[in-house]
Amino acid sequence: MKKMLILAALVGLTATPAQAEHWDVIGTKLKDTCPIGKYMAIVKDFNQWGRSYGYTATILTPIQDQDQTMFWWIGKTENAAKFGAAWDAWRDGLSDPNSTPAKLQARFADCATNHSRSGYDAW
């Protein structure tokens, strides 16, 4: 009985639940009036805001792709719950024109057009 209890304790200590990272993938094209450097400055400011929510974005630009004008926003959070919290804060902030999310969204809208958006679990 004692051996069984020790074995159960060891298995319990080593077993961890699987947890997937969440990826927020947005296909975007820059407007003619927005060079990539300007867009990346907005992304940098967004990442400063997103840090407190555990959300960070990386931009993928095409090297080999049939559409050289589309680039990809890869936003990552530890899990879908963290993404949901960040999304809620972003969405709620848009109602206040003086909030950081509203100001960032206005800059994004001036600079780029989103063409697609998908969410993924990354294991």
Side-chain angles (χ1 to χ4, degrees):
M1 178 70 174
K2 188 175 181 180
K3 287 182 183 180
M4 200 60 142
L5 188 57
I6 291 172
L7 181 60
L10 287 174
V11 169
L13 291 173
T14 59
T16 58
Q19 189 170 355
E21 193 175 54
H22 182 82
W23 287 19
D24 181 25
V25 180
I26 305 170
T28 304
K29 291 187 179 186
L30 292 178
K31 294 180 179 177
D32 292 338
T33 57
C34 184
I36 189 69
K38 181 178 177 180
Y39 186 80
M40 291 307 298
I42 304 168
V43 172
K44 180 181 177 185
D45 292 344
F46 174 88
N47 278 336
Q48 288 177 350
W49 174 85
R51 188 175 307 134
S52 64
Y53 298 97
Y55 185 113
T56 186
T58 300
I59 304 303
L60 303 180
T61 56
I63 295 173
Q64 298 171 340
D65 195 313
Q66 62 186 0
D67 185 351
Q68 290 289 304
T69 63
M70 181 80 73
F71 63 93
W72 300 95
W73 167 287
I74 309 296
K76 293 182 183 180
T77 54
E78 182 181 330
N79 54 48
K82 291 240 183 199
F83 172 77
W87 174 251
D88 286 347
W90 180 262
R91 184 199 55 228
D92 294 348
L94 294 178
S95 65
D96 175 5
N98 295 315
S99 72
T100 298
K103 289 177 182 178
L104 285 168
Q105 184 60 49
R107 290 170 63 198
F108 280 126
D110 285 342
C111 204
T113 302
N114 294 344
H115 290 266
S116 67
R117 187 170 197 169
S118 303
Y120 298 93
D121 284 337
W123 298 91

